[in-house]
Amino acid sequence: FTRVHKPLGFSTSPFSKYTHWKQTIFYLNDPISMCEGEEITGTIKCTPNYGNKRDLDIALDISFDGTHSKFTNKRVGYRLR
């Protein structure tokens, strides 16, 4: 946070002091073959789960136009508990 009187920040690095914040990995169902310099683009949407407000429903909408793989607006869903 930088637009405050005293800048504040933290890290979730395993080499930093412990916080209650965590890193999360979103594994994809299928591997993607990528070459150096290629990029995946997309969005992340987080919403409270309808049945349990403490859970989060997370949707990744991703696109990739690479040399070996191509897809547009592929949706991958997750539930964080």
Side-chain angles (χ1 to χ4, degrees):
F1 306 100
T2 58
R3 297 200 180 256
V4 294
H5 296 291
K6 182 178 177 186
L8 174 69
F10 62 90
S11 173
T12 59
S13 165
F15 306 108
S16 296
K17 185 178 174 184
Y18 177 81
T19 72
H20 71 282
W21 293 92
K22 305 287 185 236
Q23 294 180 356
T24 301
I25 298 173
F26 295 105
Y27 290 102
L28 302 176
N29 295 327
D30 301 310
I32 301 172
S33 296
M34 297 181 69
C35 295
E36 184 175 342
E38 294 179 336
E39 296 181 355
I40 296 175
T41 59
T43 60
I44 300 174
K45 180 180 178 182
C46 297
T47 56
N49 177 268
Y50 179 77
N52 183 348
K53 299 295 184 192
R54 296 178 68 139
D55 292 351
L56 284 178
D57 291 332
I58 302 169
L60 301 183
D61 290 314
I62 54 177
S63 297
F64 180 65
D65 186 16
T67 304
H68 303 291
S69 299
K70 297 179 189 307
F71 52 85
T72 303
N73 294 325
K74 180 176 184 176
R75 176 161 282 194
V76 185
Y78 308 88
R79 176 171 299 158
L80 184 63
R81 296 183 166 186

